[in-house]
Amino acid sequence: MKFKLILVALLLAFLLAVSASAVSAADDAALESISDDDAIATDNSEVLRDEQLGAGPNKDVWIDNTVDESKIYVEGHMEVWDHKNINPVLLIGMSGSRNTTYSDNNTTSIESQVMEKYLDIAKKATGASDIEIIKMDRYVSSEMWDHRIYETIDDNSTGRATHIASGSYAKITTVHLNVITEYNREDQKLIETKLTAKYDAASKNIVATVKDAEGKPVSGLKVGFAINGVKYETTDANGEAKYSTAGLADGTYKVTVQAYGNEIYNNSNKETVTFTIGSKEKSKIFLRNALYFVTQVKMVQVTLWDGNNQPLANKTVSIRAYDSVWHGVTDENGDAFVRVGIGFGTHDATVSFDGDDDYNSSTRAGYIRVIKQTPSVMVRGADTMFKATNPVKIVKVHLRDRYDQPLPEGSKIVLKLNGKTYIGFTDAEGVARIAININTVGTFTAQAMYGGNSAYNPVTRDVKIRIV
């Protein structure tokens, strides 16, 4: 206890720049870890360099070796609509990040970069030059941690106390963006095409499938397979073009595939197909843990095994959803935890391993589900009873998530009572204070409603209001 009091006193003395008594000889060396509950934010204290040792009225010296690991992530999705079409023509997963500092909360630059990047992707995919943002849902969440350690070393001969800070701390800010864009297809001359390609080991064919923006197969287009030069095949009524690999020697191949347009259709995107011919060992890949809330960080688990169900370590695996690809490296258990940036909805995803000198490639299709949380709307009994003579009657409505944490400040609450509608907004504690105007004695049933957003479902709760 004596040690802790001395250390706290030294810290306060430094921060407030006032004199403090010299540390006793019994506490020549002390080491204390700051727990999460006691974690401190970065301050504006001066940290002295080595050449400044011994400075200050009490010869207190502070050396800061801590590391700020703060980051800002942007994730979400972009819907691209043709203004004359009832369904979106394109859905793109968005992601981006940048390093930041604990005290810097400005996300503007990385948000702008992500928006510019994916607007450009949307323009290239649709051939449209006039894509405009017509709606954007934005939600910001953050988490903080502090693993700094402070060591105090006292020099009795000089009366100097040296305080050394080490370890790391961070503020992780995640911006969730759901963007809707629109363009005028009347300005577009050619229809966009989408190509997918895979290797069918049973038939030894590379199979390319070409569809238009509405998902309909496109026939009569030439498809190029870049392998020992470019070989061409034509899509059939199902939009498929097949290239036989039966004559290839043993080995691992990467083949680039693209469909070439005509006077009606644009060129398609390019796809790379990796496959192995020969006697290498098999590999198996799995997509696991694919259900998340919108507000969660989506760390998708990918598992890679050999043909005998043994884990394969230090192998690069990938996840593809829409036009985005994320990579990870497997650990000793054959697991890779890959952070993906996708928003609300059920998303088709493909996990793959390209193979190497020892193992064949493998792929598996699945999906990643991102769902909204259902928050709770609560009104405590003490906040539901009022005297008719009270000039001010405040109903406190609490809005919290499934982890009993308040929803973002400014969330809208609607209270319908006795034929009237009242509106309030939550504070930082998740409480909306709504003043009601009713002076009639009796018990009334009110509805407290939260309308939801891109991260949370709407909720309605009946509340009994008593006027006595």
Side-chain angles (χ1 to χ4, degrees), residues 142 166 177 210 268 270 305 310 324 329 337 359 368 442 466:
S142 64
S166 60
L177 297 177
V210 184
S268 76
K270 293 181 180 179
W305 291 347
Q310 296 300 308
S324 297
V329 178
F337 295 88
Y359 296 92
I368 302 170
R466 297 172 180 85

Side-chain angles (χ1 to χ4, degrees), residues 80 89-90 119-131 183-185 187-193 266-267:
V80 183
V89 298
L90 191 63
L119 277 173
D120 187 59
I121 290 174
K123 290 176 182 178
K124 290 179 179 178
T126 61
S129 60
D130 60 340
I131 296 180
Y183 69 96
N184 186 349
R185 184 175 287 279
D187 295 338
Q188 313 311 311
K189 296 181 180 179
L190 300 179
I191 299 174
E192 295 304 315
T193 56
N266 264 329
N267 292 345

Side-chain angles (χ1 to χ4, degrees), residues 92-355:
I92 305 172
M94 302 190 301
S95 64
S97 65
R98 75 169 176 87
N99 296 327
T100 183
T101 63
Y102 192 96
S103 58
D104 178 17
N105 296 318
N106 186 358
T107 63
T108 303
S109 61
I110 183 62
E111 288 185 57
S112 297
Q113 291 175 19
V114 169
M115 292 298 296
E116 291 176 3
K117 173 183 175 181
Y118 288 96
L119 277 173
D120 187 59
I121 290 174
K123 290 176 182 178
K124 290 179 179 178
T126 61
S129 60
D130 60 340
I131 296 180
E132 296 180 353
I133 297 174
I134 61 173
K135 182 181 179 182
M136 181 168 68
D137 244 340
R138 181 178 181 274
Y139 171 74
V140 180
S141 61
S142 64
E143 58 180 296
M144 294 173 284
W145 49 266
D146 193 332
H147 302 310
R148 286 176 283 189
I149 295 175
Y150 298 85
E151 180 183 5
T152 297
I153 302 174
D154 299 325
D155 187 340
N156 292 328
S157 62
T158 63
R160 182 173 66 203
T162 302
H163 312 287
I164 302 174
S166 60
S168 61
Y169 58 98
K171 181 174 184 180
I172 306 298
T173 301
T174 303
V175 181
H176 311 269
L177 297 177
N178 294 313
V179 182
I180 296 177
T181 63
E182 186 179 81
Y183 69 96
N184 186 349
R185 184 175 287 279
E186 292 175 353
D187 295 338
Q188 313 311 311
K189 296 181 180 179
L190 300 179
I191 299 174
E192 295 304 315
T193 56
K194 173 70 175 179
L195 178 142
T196 58
K198 64 180 181 180
Y199 178 69
D200 182 359
S203 64
K204 295 185 179 181
N205 286 328
I206 302 173
V207 182
T209 303
V210 184
K211 296 183 179 180
D212 63 18
E214 296 179 352
K216 298 177 181 179
V218 178
S219 62
L221 289 188
K222 284 188 176 180
V223 177
F225 299 83
I227 177 171
N228 299 327
V230 180
K231 315 297 182 182
Y232 296 95
E233 301 291 342
T234 302
T235 57
D236 59 19
N238 297 316
E240 292 186 350
K242 299 177 181 179
Y243 175 77
S244 176
T245 64
L248 296 177
D250 289 355
T252 297
Y253 296 85
K254 285 189 176 183
V255 179
T256 301
V257 185
Q258 184 180 22
Y260 294 92
N262 53 26
E263 67 278 4
I264 299 175
Y265 297 97
N266 264 329
N267 292 345
S268 76
N269 54 297
K270 293 181 180 179
E271 286 289 310
T272 299
V273 179
T274 303
F275 60 95
T276 301
I277 297 175
S279 57
K280 294 183 182 181
E281 290 190 40
K282 293 181 179 180
S283 68
K284 303 176 182 179
I285 196 165
F286 306 91
L287 171 63
R288 305 184 188 275
N289 297 342
L291 176 64
Y292 304 89
F293 289 112
V294 173
T295 55
Q296 283 183 300
V297 175
K298 290 82 177 175
M299 300 297 294
V300 179
Q301 182 181 353
V302 180
T303 301
L304 185 66
W305 291 347
D306 65 16
N308 297 313
N309 297 334
Q310 296 300 308
L312 294 179
N314 300 316
K315 305 295 184 183
T316 299
V317 295
S318 62
I319 300 174
R320 175 184 291 273
Y322 307 116
D323 291 325
S324 297
V325 181
W326 302 272
H327 303 281
V329 178
T330 58
D331 60 19
E332 66 273 14
N333 298 313
D335 295 327
F337 295 88
V338 185
R339 178 179 177 129
V340 301
I342 54 177
F344 170 74
T346 298
H347 312 283
D348 292 334
T350 301
V351 292
S352 60
F353 166 59
D354 285 346

